[in-house]
Amino acid sequence: MANHALLNSIEHSDLRVITQRGDEYDDNLWFTPTFVDEIRSVQAHYPIVFHKNPESGQFTPITLFGFEQHENLFLQDDKWDAAYLPLSVQRLPFFIGKQEITTDGITEQERVITIDLDSPRVSKTEGIELFLEYGGNSPYLEDIATILETLHHGLQGNEAFVKALTTLNLLESMTLDITLDNGANHQLIGFYTINEEVLNNLSPENIVRLHNAGYLQATYLILASQVHFRDLVARKNQRISHTADE
């Protein structure tokens, strides 16, 4: 279970963060959230689909790394085998938290950086320092702050993006049947994708609305990213073959 703490230079002056990649650092992620402004970068390497929260019913665009839980097919020999690392992965073990600030009797909520102290990335002997010796944030922590801010605004914007898609009936459930080289069959279910037929038959007015909102390109890029399912299958076959040879 995560142990989030408000990051500060007094209590955490000696903390470091390990930036290597591997299962031992909880990189065995099946998927991770993405957002409209990141989709161009993500779709060049990964398939993008939508995940539906079973409790809230809210859809979220996600970057898919494997076909089952705890499977990340982009982890190769303790390296992340892709040129782009999604921001929601880059930011770990940091998160955005909130704390109340009272000024002149007015209480407001301020965004702050929290850190998961139980993350295997957190160390006192290895990794990159978070704070400078004589005070102030390290360049690494400044970069993390920028990533968290970008991620915060991007994920907040997903609600409007998804609303535009669902209003136009552009999301449909998907099932992907996979046969591996060893004859094993897998089925990817529970995710959603863009309904290409509905998209192709949108009225000119709705096309313009999507374009003006900045969503049309992202929608087509999500469709284009489906080509990477073939890459995932190839990675799965390669991993099975490598395991069999050991």
Side-chain angles (χ1 to χ4, degrees):
M1 182 177 291
N3 178 20
H4 293 278
L6 176 62
L7 187 66
N8 66 85
S9 59
I10 298 175
E11 295 179 81
H12 307 131
S13 60
D14 57 347
L15 290 189
R16 296 169 176 261
V17 167
I18 300 169
T19 56
Q20 293 171 249
R21 295 290 155 190
D23 285 344
E24 64 269 37
Y25 300 118
D26 290 344
D27 281 332
N28 54 339
L29 304 167
W30 184 18
F31 60 81
T32 193
T34 187
F35 53 93
V36 172
D37 289 341
E38 189 185 40
I39 283 174
R40 176 187 287 273
S41 299
V42 166
Q43 67 84 33
H45 307 280
Y46 314 95
I48 303 169
V49 293
F50 290 82
H51 176 257
K52 185 177 183 181
N53 186 305
E55 296 179 1
S56 67
Q58 180 66 38
F59 291 96
T60 300
I62 63 164
T63 305
L64 200 62
F65 305 135
F67 294 112
E68 55 189 319
Q69 288 190 27
H70 308 303
E71 178 181 69
N72 186 341
L73 297 171
F74 290 87
L75 283 181
Q76 304 287 339
D77 300 323
D78 293 333
K79 294 181 180 179
W80 194 290
D81 187 29
Y84 180 78
L85 190 64
L87 294 187
S88 52
V89 177
Q90 289 187 47
R91 60 87 181 268
L92 296 174
F94 300 96
F95 298 83
I96 286 183
K98 292 182 180 180
Q99 70 174 359
E100 291 187 346
I101 302 294
T102 301
T103 305
D104 297 329
I106 300 175
T107 300
E108 297 179 325
Q109 286 195 330
E110 179 182 67
R111 287 195 300 277
V112 293
I113 297 177
T114 67
I115 183 171
D116 177 9
L117 295 176
D118 288 346
S119 168
R121 294 192 171 280
V122 177
S123 171
K124 293 186 178 181
T125 58
E126 300 178 66
I128 301 176
E129 294 179 338
L130 302 183
F131 299 100
L132 302 176
E133 183 178 359
Y134 299 107
N137 297 343
S138 70
Y140 168 71
L141 187 54
E142 290 293 338
D143 287 342
I144 288 294
T146 300
I147 288 172
L148 286 172
E149 191 70 8
T150 302
L151 190 60
H152 171 75
H153 291 294
L155 295 180
Q156 275 199 328
N158 276 342
E159 184 175 352
F161 175 47
V162 167
K163 183 177 180 180
L165 297 180
T166 54
T167 298
L168 297 173
N169 296 315
L170 283 171
L171 293 185
E172 65 173 350
S173 60
M174 60 171 286
T175 299
L176 184 65
D177 293 308
I178 305 156
T179 301
L180 301 175
D181 290 347
N182 64 359
N185 294 313
H186 289 264
Q187 191 175 64
L188 185 69
I189 60 175
F191 295 102
Y192 292 75
T193 188
I194 301 295
N195 187 316
E196 191 169 0
E197 182 178 356
V198 173
L199 178 62
N200 290 338
N201 287 285
L202 285 180
S203 67
E205 293 79 12
N206 284 329
I207 289 288
V208 169
R209 288 193 188 98
L210 278 178
H211 172 73
N212 289 342
Y215 301 150
L216 185 61
Q217 183 184 61
T219 302
Y220 279 110
L221 288 176
I222 290 171
L223 274 177
S225 77
Q226 307 304 302
V227 68
H228 294 301
F229 276 119
R230 291 199 298 269
D231 301 334
L232 274 188
V233 172
R235 287 175 179 273
K236 181 81 169 179
N237 282 322
Q238 183 181 29
R239 179 164 295 187
I240 292 173
S241 175
H242 179 73
T243 302
D245 292 339
E246 290 180 347

